[in-house]
Amino acid sequence: MPRFTPHTYVGTDKHGKKTAKLTTKFYEPNSFSLLEGSQETNVRGNVQGFDVYGQDMVTTNFYGGPESSMDGSRGHMALYQLNQVPKYALQYISTKTLNFQLWKNYVKSIKISPYIKLGHGQSVGSTSRYIYELANWNYTKKLRSNELLQIDKKDMQVKRIWTFAVSNGKRENNCYFLNADVIDDNIMLALFHSKFNHRFEIWKITRTGNSFKVKEAATTDGDLISNSSQVQGFTYSVAHKCYYIAFNDYLFKIDAKGNLANYYHFNAKREVEGLASYKSKIYIAMNKRAEVFDSNMAK
C-alpha cells in the first residue's frame, strides 16, 4: 500500500543519547508489472539488498520474501537514477493513482535486469559502471565456492561470473558470505559470522583479472548481539574508515580493527533490508513497505 508521508526515526547510541536520525529518502514501487504473471516476468518490490553509488541506486528484488531463502534463488535487479525519479511518487507504481504518461516518464530513469541468480540478495555493491552480487544462498549446508556476478549498468546483463573459495584453515571451514560491500571494481569486503569463535570476520577480497587474493581485515570481539538475529546489512564507510553492521533495530559501528565504536538502537519494529554508503553518507533500507532512509550516523 502507498504511504502518503515520509518516516522519521530517532535512535539512541550506546550512551543512551538520541544522536541518530533516519529520514525517508525514497519509496520504492510496489511492483513494476501491470499483470501478475510468473516469477520470471513479474518484477516486485520485495527488496533484500541495495547499494548507492553517486546518483545510482540498485536494489535486489524477489517475487516474494521466501524466494531469497531458496537454493539458487533468483530475482531481478532494479537500477534507479535518484536525481531523475521522484522521491515519493514511485510508491504509486503500479496503482491507478499515476496515469500512464507519468508512469512512462518515471520509468525512463529506471532499468531492470533479466531474471537472474541473486542468492540471498544482500551481498550487492556497485561502482560507476558495474553492479556486483555474491549470489550465495541463505541456508546452504554444503561446501561451496562463493559465486560473484558482474552486471553491466548499461544493459543490466550479466557480463562475467567468477567463483572463489575462502578458507580459514581446513576446507570444511570455508567462509560463505551473505553480506558484502564493494570498494571498487577490484576490491570487495565480505562479512562472515564464525559461530564457533563467537565473532564476525571481515575479509578483504582482491581480484586481479580472474585471480583472487583474500586477507582477513578485521574481527569483532563477540557476536555483537545476543538474540541470534541474522545480519540484515553490512557496509564500509571509506570516508570514515569504519564498518556498519545492521540487525534490524540495531546498527553497530565497528572501527577498522574490529572494535565496537558505537551502536544505535531504533524502535522502528521493521526489518532492515540492506545498508549502503557513499562518501560520507550511510543509507538504510527497510521493508513493509520498501523504503530507503538517509541517516546522520557518519557525522
Side-chain angles (χ1 to χ4, degrees), residues 22 47-53 57-60 121-126 178-182 191 231-237 242-254 264 266 271-278 281-286 291-295 297:
L22 305 180
V47 175
Q48 292 292 321
F50 89 116
D51 191 61
V52 174
Y53 186 91
M57 184 181 80
V58 60
T59 62
T60 53
Q122 289 187 342
S123 292
V124 60
S126 61
L178 299 180
N179 301 85
D181 191 22
V182 168
L191 185 70
V231 173
Q232 297 293 338
F234 169 71
T235 193
Y236 176 71
S237 171
C242 61
Y243 308 94
Y244 290 86
I245 304 174
F247 302 84
N248 292 333
D249 271 358
Y250 284 89
L251 181 67
F252 289 82
K253 181 179 180 179
I254 308 297
Y264 309 93
F266 300 92
E271 188 174 356
V272 172
E273 297 293 0
L275 294 176
S277 62
Y278 183 72
K281 296 295 295 183
I282 304 296
Y283 305 96
I284 300 177
M286 292 186 184
E291 186 176 356
V292 174
F293 291 86
D294 199 350
S295 78
M297 258 79 75

Side-chain angles (χ1 to χ4, degrees), residues 157-168:
Q157 300 288 324
V158 176
K159 186 173 182 180
R160 294 184 180 91
I161 300 176
W162 297 279
T163 58
F164 64 93
V166 178
S167 180
N168 192 4

Side-chain angles (χ1 to χ4, degrees), residues 63-75:
Y63 183 80
E67 277 79 11
S68 63
S69 297
M70 295 172 62
D71 195 0
S73 53
R74 295 173 178 270

Side-chain angles (χ1 to χ4, degrees), residues 36-108:
E36 281 297 319
S38 64
Q39 290 186 196
E40 291 85 354
T41 60
N42 190 298
V43 185
R44 302 289 294 277
N46 293 303
V47 175
Q48 292 292 321
F50 89 116
D51 191 61
V52 174
Y53 186 91
Q55 292 299 322
D56 291 346
M57 184 181 80
V58 60
T59 62
T60 53
N61 298 49
F62 291 90
Y63 183 80
E67 277 79 11
S68 63
S69 297
M70 295 172 62
D71 195 0
S73 53
R74 295 173 178 270
H76 298 85
M77 285 188 170
L79 178 65
Y80 303 85
Q81 292 178 277
L82 293 177
N83 57 344
Q84 299 295 323
V85 295
K87 291 183 177 181
Y88 306 126
L90 285 188
Q91 65 181 305
Y92 298 109
I93 296 178
S94 53
T95 67
K96 295 180 180 179
T97 307
L98 289 181
N99 63 51
F100 186 61
Q101 190 59 44
L102 273 177
W103 181 84
K104 287 198 302 180
N105 184 55
Y106 290 165
V107 298
K108 288 178 182 178

